[in-house]
């Protein structure tokens, strides 16, 4: 027999990678970032938003974004990932969960992301209908090492905490 827990808190983690390529926009957290390359993918390839969505789905026990938004589905071709994040917000809310906070680390050798971080935090918070203080975004390089270091791609790690809404 499995044990039930009454703990209202659930953590989740997400990780995503997309390849950098010519002729694509670089979209991170819904923000269009000026750069010579962009991320390759079926949607807008917003690696930051994808990692956050996976963290939220994981915390709610709802699988992952591949399950909910398969990249074989033409409906998601070039779609803004913020639209998908909005759907994730609804899926998580339907299970009675509210986001406490999310912490996101974008790993990119270039471009420098610091100037864009406040805009990314605002976009994500607005989409999730939470206070901007609940969303923290960090950026780091991997010191020239690995696929992010050589500029082949950008990755993102995200963790979040959800709480079961006792009013629900
Ligand atoms: Mg992705």
């Amino acid at each position: 027999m499995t044990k039930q827990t009454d703990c209202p808190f659930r953590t989740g983690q997400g990780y995503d990678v997309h390849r950098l390529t010519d002729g694509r926009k670089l979209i991170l957290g819904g923000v269009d970032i000026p750069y010579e390359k962009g991320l390759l993918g079926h949607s807008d390839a917003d690696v930051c938003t994808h990692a956050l969505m996976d963290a939220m789905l994981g915390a709610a026990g709802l699988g992952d974004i591949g399950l909910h938004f398969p990249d074989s589905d033409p409906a998601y071709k070039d779609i803004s990932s913020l639209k998908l994040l909005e759907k994730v917000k609804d899926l998580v809310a339907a299970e009675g969960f509210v986001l406490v906070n999310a912490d996101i680390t974008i790993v990119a050798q270039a471009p420098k992301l610091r100037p864009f971080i406040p805009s990314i935090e605002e976009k994500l918070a607005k989409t999730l209908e939470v206070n901007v203080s609940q969303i923290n975004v960090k950026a780091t390089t991997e010191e020239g090492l690995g696929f992010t270091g050589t500029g082949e791609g950008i990755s993102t790690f995200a963790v979040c905490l959800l709480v079961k809404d006792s009013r629900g």
Side-chain angles (χ1 to χ4, degrees):
M1 187 175 153
T2 54
K3 274 192 178 173
Q4 293 281 351
T5 173
D6 293 329
C7 178
F9 294 105
R10 301 277 297 234
T11 65
Q13 65 95 24
Y15 174 69
D16 196 26
V17 176
H18 282 266
R19 179 184 290 277
L20 278 165
T21 187
D22 293 324
R24 291 269 301 183
K25 283 184 167 185
L26 177 58
I27 310 288
L28 293 173
V31 176
D32 190 342
I33 292 170
Y35 189 50
E36 63 201 41
K37 291 181 175 185
L39 293 171
L40 187 63
H42 182 67
S43 65
D44 64 358
D46 182 342
V47 67
C48 168
T49 302
H50 292 184
L52 174 59
M53 289 194 281
D54 261 353
M56 291 177 64
L57 289 170
L62 291 173
D64 61 27
I65 57 173
L67 182 71
H68 295 278
F69 315 112
D71 64 9
S72 54
D73 189 335
Y76 304 123
K77 176 111 178 71
D78 296 324
I79 195 172
S80 165
S81 294
L82 291 185
K83 289 221 164 66
L84 304 181
L85 180 61
E86 214 175 310
K87 291 184 186 194
V88 166
K89 177 196 74 178
D90 293 342
L91 286 166
V92 164
E95 295 294 312
F97 287 108
V98 171
L99 182 72
V100 177
N101 76 301
D103 188 23
I104 301 163
T105 303
I106 304 170
V107 185
Q109 194 65 33
K112 284 281 170 230
L113 297 175
R114 171 52 42 202
F116 304 101
I117 283 178
S119 309
I120 294 172
E121 290 174 340
E122 271 169 38
K123 284 247 183 192
L124 295 175
K126 195 174 168 208
T127 304
L128 291 171
E129 298 180 298
V130 298
N131 194 287
V132 74
S133 67
Q134 291 166 266
I135 307 289
N136 191 76
V137 177
K138 308 188 292 292
T140 186
T141 73
E142 279 184 309
E143 301 288 340
L145 297 168
F147 68 85
T148 67
T150 56
E152 283 177 86
I154 293 178
S155 64
T156 301
F157 300 86
V159 294
C160 76
L161 185 68
L162 303 181
V163 63
K164 201 93 173 184
D165 187 356
S166 54
R167 295 166 300 174

